[in-house]
Amino acid sequence: MNAPEKFPAPATVATASGHSHPHESARAQVAGRATYVDDIVEVKGTLHAAPILSDVAHGKLLGVDTAEALKMPGVRGVVLAADIPGDPLLATFAHDEPIFAIDKVEHIGQVVGLVVADTVMQARRAARKVRLRIEPLPAITDVREALAAQSFVLPPVTVRRGEPEQAIASARHRLAGSLEVGGQEHFYLEGQVAYALPQEQDQWHIRSSTQHPGEVQHWVAHALGLESQAVTVECRRMGGGFGGKETQAGHLAVWAALAARKTGKAVKLRLDRDDDFMVTGKRHPFAYDYQVGFDAAGLITGLKLMLAANCGFSADLSGPVADRAVFHVDNAYFLGDVEIVSYRCKTNTQSHTAFRGFGGPQGMIVTEAMLGEIARHLGLDPLDVRKRNFYGIAERNTTHYEMQVEDNILAPLVGQLEQDCGYRARRAEIARWNAQSPVIRRGIAITPVKFGISFTATFFNQAGALVHCYTDGSVQVNHGGTEMGQGLHTKVCQIVADELGIPFGRVRITATDTSKVPNASATAASSGTDLNGRAAQFAARQVRERLARFVADKQKCQPGQVIFAGGQVSAPGAVITWEQLLDDAYKSRVQLWSDGFYKTPKIHYDKHTLTGRPFYYFSYGAACTEVAIDTLTGESRVLKVDILHDVGTSINPAIDIGQIEGGFIQGMGWLTTEQLVWNAKGLLSTHAPSTYKIPAIGDVPEHFHIKLWPEANPEDNVGGSKAVGEPPFMLAISVWEALRDAVAAATGKARVRLDAPATAENVLKALKG
């Protein structure tokens, strides 16, 4: 039973939302009692699998010698492409990625097959004994090389408005430049893992650490040659995801299921950290070329921009990632005459995938780089140049993809942050410091964020949920979203508690399960609460409305006069506890459960022209970051961070602030320390914590201040809230811009070529200019 499109305001008093309730699993996690896939008690006879990996970046696969591996202790078998009963290609959108390598390999770390053994270590040791016969072929490992070779996983896309060539030619000032921005490893605390359990009558139960159980279900069924109803996928929680478990988790589940089918036993597959690095995709590295024209005040009058995404060896989610990069090139700024050309380049590396921001960061950073260059070229404050280019009203409020910016709070939000953090005084003080300090130079920058919220593929913007009310007053909720530590389940419980007017503690969430809510979208695009919270709210609302009618019939009043609040239900002349009402309603045969369904309104999008209204609304924010660099070593440190971020009316302020903190620090890592290096042979050299450095506690500045913008979402979103998962990530562009500001102060040059990440080596290169 689906909820109608519009609902009356609930006759409840909100007591759960807006408060910083602890994460619903926090106590269990701290006590070590929260169950992840690898913690599940294994059924008798469970086997373990380990991947056989290619050690060649590109070549013909001539043979697989498993003889030595099969002699190893505990080994039960080997699974190869010939053992796949269904389609040998994964059920991806592009249908271009083999489950196991068939007749060629396309990157070092590509999975050729599995070894299955009694224990994890037996399987891993045996997998290293498999000998692959590969005839090497030329490999492309660099995005510029792929561009030159016209090597693409998908066709290029162009978005154009006006006459940028003419606008640039007639501009008073012009600049041209290039930029390289690296990728990023997800580095989730819980690695990729799946547990496949054969059931009776060729049915399957898959326990998967996944952001998209529905896709895992589809992929496993496709590989096994079964219908989707034969496969159930369950996920109680993940130990981090960040986009890396949106599609990539499907590979593990398919591999484990194929091994389980061949052996007839339950099979668990958990990648160790090194293999996880070598097998799975990363954030897409990007290369850029630009030409920009602007006036004496720094206002952009024309722009031609080339974006080249390094997609790896298959398409995966590269199409929508590259599209979102195109959508977010503008960030907070109006672009009148503009041409953006997006190339989706094929290289012989891991197939890159979703990562927090989903192309948005790669789109925004190049425009922020241009504005910094423009400001230094003109001798102006970069913040003033940014403000001059902000979206405005009337003719300056339409994006390059033809969506009107209706909820623009950029100017007041940035202005408030500028005032609160003392930007002008600090900039003057930094200038005085730099004039007297020969070695340590400081820099400061304020950068804004305008991030679109919704899946750009419109059909994904839907969700379902179930709410079950029991006669003892407790409530159980299930929905299609997944929990990866971001607090989605907690917020959904708060929303349901408020809808029913009961204490937060009476509501409990259950594991995401494809047999309960089918066809659910991925928990991604920052839309988890928007979609699933609304669906759960609608389900709870239907139960409440039934109960209101039941009470109204007994009390001879209108349903709207029945109030649900504080665990009690009141009507004219009567007050009853929530528990008593449920018991009475049950005995009167009133339905005490319901489903709810929600689809995001207003959105539409033409994927061929990249025009329309792909986003329901925008989330806004701004960060001011101050940094210092050592001009002798290239080392840098973030000294101060001030953030003002727009989350609408916060459902859970502690969770939202935690997401802002975590997103910012993760973005800081992308732009400073997290460097992915592939050598000339295509080997990922940085494949362990010893060589790949995520930010540590010591990298977090003592001065790290966060405030929430006080206004509600003007769109009719759940609780007046806004999404918070991804937008804060891009606030960290302020770190990179502050580093460029410090380099400019040290060199005295207007042009600063600082590729990202700004490692000590790259900072030194920039200083030497």
Side-chain angles (χ1 to χ4, degrees), residues 4-89:
E5 292 294 318
K6 291 184 180 291
F7 294 84
T12 64
V13 176
T15 58
S17 295
H19 298 281
S20 294
H21 291 280
H23 189 287
E24 54 90 22
S25 294
R27 288 181 175 85
Q29 287 167 320
V30 169
R33 292 195 293 268
T35 301
Y36 296 86
V37 173
D38 203 35
D39 301 319
I40 296 167
V41 177
E42 296 168 4
V43 301
K44 185 177 180 180
T46 292
L47 301 177
H48 298 266
I52 302 163
L53 305 181
S54 168
D55 58 359
V56 175
H58 189 207
K60 294 179 182 178
L61 181 59
L62 303 177
V64 181
D65 182 356
T66 63
E68 191 175 351
L70 290 170
K71 295 176 184 176
M72 297 284 287
V75 172
R76 297 299 187 93
V78 172
V79 187
L80 301 170
D83 297 308
I84 301 170
D87 191 337
L89 300 182

Side-chain angles (χ1 to χ4, degrees), residues 595-665:
D595 66 338
F597 179 80
Y598 174 70
K599 61 180 181 180
T600 308
K602 296 186 178 182
I603 53 176
H604 57 89
Y605 158 58
D606 185 330
K607 66 179 182 180
H608 301 293
T609 62
L610 264 68
T611 58
R613 178 174 178 162
F615 308 120
Y616 186 31
Y617 62 87
F618 294 105
S619 286
Y620 299 93
C624 178
T625 297
E626 184 178 336
V627 302
I629 62 171
D630 185 323
T631 59
L632 300 180
T633 66
E635 293 174 287
S636 65
R637 179 169 292 277
V638 176
L639 303 176
K640 294 181 180 180
V641 175
D642 294 272
I643 292 172
L644 182 56
H645 196 70
D646 166 35
V647 299
T649 299
S650 177
I651 293 172
N652 189 311
I655 284 176
D656 287 345
I657 289 172
Q659 286 293 292
I660 295 167
E661 290 171 338
F664 183 91
I665 296 301

